[in-house]
Amino acid sequence: MKQQISTQEVPNAPAFLSQAIVSNGLIFVSGQIHSELDNSLVGETVEEKLAQIMKNISAILAAAGATLDDVVKVTMYVTDMSFMPDLNKAYPTYFKEPYPAREAVCVKELPLGASIEISVVASKG
Protein backbone atom coordinates (compact mmCIF):
# COMPACT_ATOMS: atom_id res chain seq x y z
CA MET A 1 0.00 0.00 0.00
CA LYS A 2 1.20 3.51 -0.71
CA GLN A 3 0.36 6.85 0.87
CA GLN A 4 0.70 10.23 -0.81
CA ILE A 5 2.48 12.99 1.16
CA SER A 6 1.79 16.64 0.50
CA THR A 7 2.63 19.92 2.21
CA GLN A 8 1.81 23.53 1.41
CA GLU A 9 5.30 24.56 2.61
CA VAL A 10 6.88 23.79 -0.78
CA PRO A 11 5.85 24.55 -4.35
CA ASN A 12 2.86 22.47 -5.46
CA ALA A 13 3.57 19.57 -7.75
CA PRO A 14 1.51 19.34 -10.94
CA ALA A 15 -1.68 17.32 -10.48
CA PHE A 16 -0.12 14.21 -12.03
CA LEU A 17 2.86 14.17 -9.59
CA SER A 18 3.23 13.56 -5.86
CA GLN A 19 5.60 15.48 -3.61
CA ALA A 20 6.33 12.16 -1.93
CA ILE A 21 5.02 8.63 -1.56
CA VAL A 22 5.36 6.38 1.48
CA SER A 23 5.47 2.66 0.74
CA ASN A 24 6.70 -0.24 2.86
CA GLY A 25 8.39 2.07 5.37
CA LEU A 26 10.24 4.08 2.73
CA ILE A 27 9.60 7.70 1.78
CA PHE A 28 10.26 8.55 -1.86
CA VAL A 29 10.59 12.33 -2.25
CA SER A 30 10.20 13.67 -5.77
CA GLY A 31 12.99 15.79 -7.20
CA GLN A 32 13.17 19.26 -5.69
CA ILE A 33 14.73 22.29 -7.34
CA HIS A 34 15.88 25.57 -5.83
CA SER A 35 12.47 27.25 -5.98
CA GLU A 36 10.25 29.04 -3.51
CA LEU A 37 6.48 28.65 -3.05
CA ASP A 38 5.72 30.79 -6.10
CA ASN A 39 8.03 28.56 -8.22
CA SER A 40 10.59 31.34 -8.60
CA LEU A 41 14.16 30.10 -8.68
CA VAL A 42 16.42 31.34 -5.90
CA GLY A 43 20.11 31.31 -5.21
CA GLU A 44 23.12 32.74 -6.96
CA THR A 45 25.63 30.25 -5.59
CA VAL A 46 25.56 26.47 -5.45
CA GLU A 47 25.40 26.70 -1.65
CA GLU A 48 22.33 29.00 -1.76
CA LYS A 49 20.60 26.74 -4.27
CA LEU A 50 21.37 23.66 -2.19
CA ALA A 51 20.02 25.39 0.94
CA GLN A 52 16.65 26.02 -0.75
CA ILE A 53 16.48 22.48 -2.10
CA MET A 54 17.23 20.99 1.31
CA LYS A 55 14.65 23.30 2.91
CA ASN A 56 12.03 21.96 0.47
CA ILE A 57 13.08 18.34 1.03
CA SER A 58 13.06 18.80 4.80
CA ALA A 59 9.51 20.19 4.71
CA ILE A 60 8.27 17.22 2.69
CA LEU A 61 10.05 14.76 4.98
CA ALA A 62 8.52 16.49 8.02
CA ALA A 63 5.06 16.04 6.49
CA ALA A 64 5.86 12.32 6.32
CA GLY A 65 7.14 12.21 9.92
CA ALA A 66 10.83 12.06 9.02
CA THR A 67 13.95 14.22 8.87
CA LEU A 68 17.15 14.41 6.84
CA ASP A 69 18.63 11.98 9.38
CA ASP A 70 16.31 9.32 7.92
CA VAL A 71 17.58 9.72 4.33
CA VAL A 72 19.26 6.60 2.94
CA LYS A 73 19.65 7.55 -0.75
CA VAL A 74 20.26 10.85 -2.55
CA THR A 75 20.19 11.46 -6.28
CA MET A 76 21.54 14.79 -7.54
CA TYR A 77 20.93 16.12 -11.02
CA VAL A 78 23.11 19.01 -12.19
CA THR A 79 23.32 20.84 -15.49
CA ASP A 80 27.07 21.33 -15.08
CA MET A 81 29.52 18.98 -13.37
CA SER A 82 31.63 21.98 -12.35
CA PHE A 83 29.04 22.45 -9.54
CA MET A 84 30.23 19.25 -7.86
CA PRO A 85 33.16 20.65 -5.81
CA ASP A 86 30.86 23.23 -4.20
CA LEU A 87 28.09 20.64 -3.74
CA ASN A 88 30.56 18.22 -2.17
CA LYS A 89 31.72 20.93 0.22
CA ALA A 90 28.21 21.91 1.38
CA TYR A 91 26.54 18.48 1.19
CA PRO A 92 27.96 17.05 4.46
CA THR A 93 26.46 19.93 6.46
CA TYR A 94 22.99 18.44 5.83
CA PHE A 95 23.70 14.81 6.71
CA LYS A 96 25.35 12.85 9.51
CA GLU A 97 27.59 9.82 9.18
CA PRO A 98 27.00 7.28 7.89
CA TYR A 99 26.13 9.43 4.90
CA PRO A 100 23.34 8.32 2.58
CA ALA A 101 24.24 6.50 -0.61
CA ARG A 102 24.52 9.12 -3.35
CA GLU A 103 24.80 9.54 -7.06
CA ALA A 104 25.23 12.60 -9.24
CA VAL A 105 23.99 12.80 -12.81
CA CYS A 106 24.72 15.54 -15.31
CA VAL A 107 21.70 16.43 -17.45
CA LYS A 108 21.07 18.86 -20.28
CA GLU A 109 18.34 20.82 -18.52
CA LEU A 110 15.99 20.77 -15.53
CA PRO A 111 12.45 22.05 -14.84
CA LEU A 112 11.92 25.83 -14.84
CA GLY A 113 15.54 26.39 -15.85
CA ALA A 114 16.93 25.13 -12.54
CA SER A 115 20.54 24.03 -12.43
CA ILE A 116 20.26 21.52 -9.55
CA GLU A 117 17.55 19.00 -8.64
CA ILE A 118 17.70 16.49 -5.80
CA SER A 119 15.50 13.55 -4.92
CA VAL A 120 15.82 11.40 -1.80
CA VAL A 121 14.63 8.15 -0.31
CA ALA A 122 14.22 8.00 3.47
CA SER A 123 13.52 5.11 5.81
CA LYS A 124 10.59 5.63 8.15
CA GLY A 125 11.57 3.53 11.12
Side-chain angles (χ1 to χ4, degrees), residues 9-10 29-35 42 46-62 66-71 73-76 87 90-96 99-100 102 116-121:
E9 294 183 37
V10 301
V29 178
S30 292
Q32 298 297 305
I33 59 174
H34 44 99
S35 63
V42 298
V46 166
E47 293 85 357
E48 291 168 342
K49 292 174 184 182
L50 180 60
Q52 183 64 44
I53 292 168
M54 299 310 282
K55 178 182 173 185
N56 292 349
I57 289 172
S58 293
I60 294 169
L61 288 171
T67 69
L68 290 174
D69 290 342
D70 300 307
V71 172
K73 177 72 165 66
V74 176
T75 303
M76 297 180 159
L87 277 171
Y91 177 85
T93 65
Y94 294 97
F95 298 103
K96 297 177 185 171
Y99 296 116
R102 190 188 91 178
I116 304 169
E117 180 176 0
I118 299 175
S119 65
V120 302
V121 178

